[in-house]
Amino acid sequence: MTATSHLVTKAIVTGHTRGLGAALVDALLTRGIDVLGLARSNRAPVADAPPLPGSFVEVELDLSDSERLAQWLSGDTLAAFLHGADRALLINNAGTVGPIGPCAVQPPADVARAVTLNVTAPLMLSSAFSAATADVPDRRIAHVSSGAARNPYAGWNIYCATKAALDHHARAAALDGEPGLRVASVAPGVVDTDMQGEIRGIDEARFPLRERFAEMKRTGQLASPEDAADTFAGYLLSDAFGETPTADVRSL
Ligand code: NAP
């Protein structure tokens, strides 16, 4: 690198079309980072949005379909996007809180889709990302975790189990000591997104804490996606990232 060249940073963000993921994309683009988004749909253009310094591409992919994801990963899109990066980031953000309720009311096919989206896809992407960035000196994987990974909640046994799996993946992967690779599972706080709307809309019989979340919304206690994403991105890019395998945006 010459004195005049700048660090090329490239980021893959899953679930980039709405909520925290969309705000993370903006936080990265604003910092001059190139982003590849993966979700089932494309992100709707924002009218009169100012141009941002980073470049943005997106791919439509259902991450709850692991065969389709494996097929996509066997192609060259990921490697082509990452080519030329001095620093590479993977943010495993896409996730679902459902199915909500005790075991007996969970449709088994929904359980399979949730586990695939929340766990299988992040782990597959982490493997592919690590292989594709073997020559990149600085590479970082951030799983988007939840307080539910660390505390059990009635009605959320699938969500709690899948987020705890991401935390434990980060703890174990960090021990492998792959050169230049930092891994951490980061809880973003309670963020005002469609997912929170879904939580408030669920029957209390399935989710006894529903009223607590409704109260948080009424009293303005939810973080904005922009604030949560800005703190998350700042942490991901900091020297502190990866020093501990789990973290929480609320205590940074
Ligand atoms: P959200 O508003 O529901 O957005 C979810 C994103 O994931 C969307 O961009 C969606 O895009 C994508 N997605 C959903 N299913 C997908 C699939 N099958 N394949 C590919 N992409 C898919 O959720 P959010 O609140 O922003 O949550 C983002 C992350 O933060 C999640 O991992 C969540 O567990 C975590 N989290 C959120 C909160 C909170 O309070 N909101 C708290 C703790 C942790 P498409 O629909 O276009 O596919």
Side-chain angles (χ1 to χ4, degrees):
M1 242 188 315
T2 66
T4 50
S5 66
H6 70 288
L7 197 69
V8 176
T9 304
K10 301 192 178 194
I12 296 136
V13 180
T14 68
H16 68 286
T17 54
R18 295 180 272 122
L20 180 65
L24 280 166
V25 168
D26 289 345
L28 296 170
L29 293 175
T30 302
R31 289 164 165 86
I33 293 170
D34 297 340
V35 177
L36 167 66
L38 302 175
R40 290 169 300 182
S41 57
N42 284 327
R43 189 176 174 192
V46 182
D48 300 326
L52 297 173
S55 71
F56 173 63
V57 287
E58 55 192 334
V59 170
E60 285 184 38
L61 204 54
D62 182 350
L63 295 171
S64 68
D65 180 345
S66 51
E67 276 184 39
R68 177 73 191 96
L69 177 56
Q71 185 188 37
W72 185 76
L73 289 172
S74 71
D76 60 6
T77 310
L78 189 71
F81 171 73
L82 290 167
H83 181 74
D86 302 303
R87 182 166 59 175
L89 315 170
L90 167 64
I91 307 182
N92 283 311
N93 166 75
T96 179
V97 69
I100 297 177
C103 296
V105 305
Q106 298 162 356
D110 291 2
V111 173
R113 268 192 295 274
V115 174
T116 306
L117 175 62
N118 288 5
V119 184
T120 309
L123 271 47
M124 289 172 74
L125 284 162
S126 298
S127 303
F129 175 83
S130 181
T133 56
D135 295 333
V136 179
D138 182 348
R139 50 216 184 106
R140 305 175 183 213
I141 298 172
H143 298 319
V144 178
S145 183
S146 167
R150 299 153 199 176
N151 298 291
Y153 296 107
W156 277 6
N157 61 53
I158 300 299
Y159 191 57
C160 290
T162 55
K163 292 298 183 181
L166 293 183
D167 277 15
H168 217 45
H169 176 265
R171 291 185 190 103
L175 297 178
D176 287 325
E178 291 182 73
L181 185 68
R182 306 177 191 213
V183 188
S185 192
V186 184
V190 187
V191 190
D192 198 358
T193 66
D194 292 351
M195 184 179 282
Q196 283 297 321
E198 185 184 344
I199 291 166
R200 291 191 301 275
I202 204 81
D203 190 335
E204 205 151 15
R206 288 194 178 205
F207 183 55
L209 288 178
R210 185 181 67 82
E211 180 49 31
R212 188 199 287 182
F213 282 85
E215 172 74 6
M216 287 180 80
K217 171 70 173 172
R218 279 196 300 273
T219 55
Q221 293 180 62
L222 302 186
S224 72
E226 293 73 24
D227 285 349
D230 194 56
T231 309
F232 195 109
Y235 179 60
L236 173 59
L237 295 167
S238 73
D239 289 344
F241 182 81
E243 279 176 1
T244 57
T246 60
D248 193 311
V249 157
R250 288 165 291 192
S251 51
L252 290 175

